[in-house]
């Protein structure tokens, strides 16, 4: 979605009522974040809303980007936030071969997740990708880690449930995600 | 950097936020530098700024591990891809620096009304400055009106009220050292009143 670099549009303050709504929405979408919500979205802090092209709005706290949202799609964390609190989100992992495609902005394809280097929920219990054995549904937001890397490389909305992925083993998994090094990542908010 | 990768997160006790180091060259987390196209520079940067992580990422072990997981075919393709990317990045850099070397900033003093002048500054965008911000800066610095205006040629320039051409020249050379002085040109433009 942010393949091209762009410059931020108008910046405006978020009303405190809207801020509460965002907070509730974030907790609803990412239940795991709840214990950290005061760190991520401090109650007293004034949030800013930055308009960026393609009808995307980016919420930030001072100079740090937090979440972005495309129209009324689910609210998605910025990768800088993901890197700080990786355990707050549902995660999957791709194999090493797929990383370079992801970082050049390609659609994430299912084989990258189902191959030996990839991880989907329901695998070994001890790994953080297990998600308690629960499958992830299409339309949910996932953070995508990469094999052999510590930090996540992509975050986006699943096009296909993980159960279906395991059966089909092909097709697109995430389109239009936010990856490290894309326009949103490079966005200068100062 | 905390190794939180392998510890499953119990939701009850709070873990402090992870501190992630970002590469100063390509802004990615250093482990992804190899995909950025400026690998060599990133590597040098990391060696200077974070030797421990550097040792971790660019050791012989890590390289061997990287290679072993991919098939030979995929490796070749990845390598080719990386080369292409690097070439692209360096080509772009060369283009940019050339553009920088050739483009000129023109500071023009326009007579508006005997003894009153406006200063028009064009060509700043070639040096990666944001016109709107710089215009605001000028306004603040010289305590005059300053705005971004469209030129007839289709581009944009900054118009500052008053004759501040010398001050603008000094300010630019001082604040943006990357702009070579010989690339800034002062021009005087006297508008002749048409004899009516």
């Amino acid at each position: 979605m942010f393949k091209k670099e762009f410059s931020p549009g108008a910046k405006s303050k978020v009303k405190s009522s809207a801020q509460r709504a965002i907070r509730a929405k974030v907790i609803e979408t990412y239940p795991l974040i709840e214990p950290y919500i005061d760190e991520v979205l401090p109650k007293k802090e004034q949030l800013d809303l930055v308009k960026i092209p393609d009808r995307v709005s980016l919420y930030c706290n001072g100079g740090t980007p937090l979440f972005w949202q495309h129209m009324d799609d689910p609210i998605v964390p910025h990768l800088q936030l993901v890197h700080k609190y990786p355990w707050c989100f549902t995660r999957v992992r791709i194999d090493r071969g797929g990383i370079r495609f992801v970082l050049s902005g390609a659609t994430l394809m299912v084989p990258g997740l189902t191959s030996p280097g990839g991880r989907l929920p329901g695998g070994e219990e001890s790994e953080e990708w297990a998600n308690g054995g629960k499958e992830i549904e299409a339309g949910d937001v996932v953070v995508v880690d990469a094999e052999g890397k510590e930090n996540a490389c992509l975050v986006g909305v699943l096009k296909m449930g993980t159960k279906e992925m395991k059966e089909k083993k092909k097709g697109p998994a995430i389109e239009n995600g936010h990856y490290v090094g894309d326009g949103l990542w490079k966005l200068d908010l100062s | 950097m905390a190794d939180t990768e392998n510890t499953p997160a119990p939701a009850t006790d709070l873990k402090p936020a992870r501190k992630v180091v970002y590469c100063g060259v390509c802004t990615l987390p250093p482990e992804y530098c190899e995909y950025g196209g400026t690998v060599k520079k990133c590597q040098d940067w990391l060696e200077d700024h974070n030797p421990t992580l550097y040792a971790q990422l660019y050791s012989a072990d890590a390289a061997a591990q990287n290679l072993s997981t991919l098939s030979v075919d995929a490796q070749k393709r990845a390598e080719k891809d990386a080369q292409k990317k690097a070439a692209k990045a360096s080509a772009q850099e060369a283009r940019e620096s050339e553009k920088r070397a050739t483009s000129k900033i023109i500071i023009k003093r326009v007579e508006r009304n005997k003894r009153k002048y406006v200063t028009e500054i064009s060509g700043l965008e070639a040096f990666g400055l944001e016109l709107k911000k710089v215009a605001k800066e000028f306004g603040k610095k010289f305590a005059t009106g300053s705005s971004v205006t469209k030129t007839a040629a289709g581009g944009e320039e900054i118009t500052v009220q008053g004759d501040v051409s010398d001050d603008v020249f000094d300010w630019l050379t001082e604040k943006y050292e990357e702009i070579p002085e010989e690339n800034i040109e002062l021009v005087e433009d006297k508008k002749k009143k048409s004899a009516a």
Side-chain angles (χ1 to χ4, degrees):
Chain A
M1 186 174 276
F2 309 106
K3 223 169 164 179
K4 282 227 177 80
E5 284 183 37
F6 52 84
S7 53
K11 187 173 171 183
S12 57
K13 291 186 170 124
V14 178
K15 273 198 287 187
S16 65
S17 58
Q19 213 163 313
R20 271 201 304 276
I22 293 167
R23 208 180 144 95
K25 184 105 191 182
V26 168
I27 295 180
E28 189 197 324
T29 331
Y30 311 102
L32 288 173
I33 210 171
E34 205 177 342
Y36 302 93
I37 193 76
D38 281 329
E39 277 175 60
V40 178
L41 291 168
K43 256 184 193 153
K44 288 279 146 67
E45 237 21 88
Q46 173 68 57
L47 277 187
D48 288 320
L49 174 117
V50 177
K51 283 191 181 162
I52 45 186
D54 293 330
R55 302 186 190 182
V56 177
S57 33
L58 174 71
Y59 298 105
C60 38
N61 177 4
T64 44
L66 298 172
F67 292 93
W68 60 273
Q69 186 172 29
H70 173 241
M71 295 170 81
D72 281 331
D73 290 358
I75 190 162
V76 182
H78 189 275
L79 273 168
Q80 274 179 22
L81 183 74
V82 174
H83 289 165
K84 279 186 201 146
Y85 304 96
W87 50 83
C88 291
F89 306 98
T90 39
R91 292 147 80 188
V92 292
R93 195 177 85 169
I94 54 164
D95 58 9
R96 192 181 290 278
I99 303 175
R100 68 193 176 96
F101 297 108
V102 168
L103 293 203
S104 51
T107 300
L108 178 66
M109 304 306 264
V110 171
L113 294 162
T114 51
S115 71
R119 292 284 182 282
L120 284 170
E124 294 214 12
E125 278 296 315
S126 58
E127 286 187 324
E128 67 255 51
W129 298 281
N131 197 25
K134 270 199 294 265
E135 299 286 348
I136 309 170
E137 299 293 325
D140 285 355
V141 177
V142 285
V143 166
V144 180
D145 291 328
E147 180 187 5
K149 309 279 182 197
E150 260 179 48
N151 296 310
C153 61
L154 175 79
V155 50
V157 178
L158 274 191
K159 283 213 82 178
M160 192 192 282
T162 47
K163 196 164 173 228
E164 200 184 343
M165 279 184 204
K166 284 177 196 160
E167 286 158 10
K168 275 197 185 157
K169 295 195 193 261
K170 58 180 172 187
I174 295 177
E175 271 176 0
N176 279 337
H178 160 44
Y179 57 94
V180 284
D182 67 356
L184 182 60
W185 174 265
K186 289 193 174 140
L187 189 66
D188 182 21
L189 285 169
S190 58
Chain B
M1 196 192 269
D3 188 14
T4 46
E5 203 32 22
N6 302 318
T7 43
T12 42
D13 62 320
L14 294 183
K15 280 196 278 183
R18 284 179 57 191
K19 285 231 164 46
V20 182
V21 182
Y22 294 118
C23 174
V25 179
C26 61
T27 72
L28 304 182
E31 47 187 7
Y32 288 110
C33 277
E34 49 178 315
Y35 301 98
T38 51
V39 190
K40 192 83 201 75
K41 269 195 202 155
C42 298
Q43 213 168 326
D44 294 344
W45 180 88
L46 195 64
E47 196 174 9
D48 285 348
H49 291 79
N50 200 334
T52 37
L53 194 59
Y54 175 81
Q56 213 177 321
L57 282 178
Y58 292 101
S59 64
D61 278 1
Q65 201 197 343
N66 278 359
L67 295 179
S68 63
T69 46
L70 285 180
S71 69
V72 181
D73 211 27
Q75 254 175 59
K76 265 192 196 145
R77 253 179 295 149
E79 202 171 300
K80 219 169 154 190
D81 205 60
Q83 264 173 13
K84 218 163 92 189
K85 233 179 186 174
K88 222 173 166 184
S90 65
Q92 200 189 349
E93 210 170 292
R95 223 179 311 135
E96 209 140 275
S97 65
E98 197 190 343
K99 201 171 127 203
R100 238 163 233 215
T102 53
S103 57
K104 273 207 156 122
I105 295 177
I106 296 171
I107 303 174
K108 206 190 221 171
R109 191 172 79 147
V110 184
E111 191 175 293
R112 195 166 57 81
N113 187 1
K114 275 298 168 222
R115 290 190 54 227
K116 305 226 181 205
Y117 297 94
V118 290
T119 313
E120 287 173 353
I121 304 137
S122 55
L124 283 175
E125 64 275 10
F127 292 87
L129 306 188
E130 256 180 86
L131 291 186
K132 219 171 147 189
K133 278 185 189 152
V134 179
K136 180 93 186 161
E137 196 81 355
F138 280 144
K140 267 190 206 154
K141 171 110 178 94
F142 305 123
T144 56
S146 169
S147 65
V148 180
T149 43
K150 289 202 173 81
T151 55
E156 285 186 324
E157 62 179 14
I158 299 178
T159 309
V160 189
Q161 288 178 12
D163 177 13
V164 287
S165 45
D166 290 330
D167 301 313
V168 167
F169 182 84
D170 291 342
W171 186 82
L172 279 177
T173 45
E174 202 169 296
K175 183 149 189 205
Y176 298 99
E177 275 160 11
E178 72 267 24
I179 303 176
E181 218 167 286
E182 53 269 27
N183 279 19
I184 307 179
E185 203 179 351
L186 288 169
V187 187
E188 200 159 322
D189 185 30
K190 272 201 184 128
K191 238 185 231 159
K192 275 217 176 118
K193 254 197 179 165
S194 56

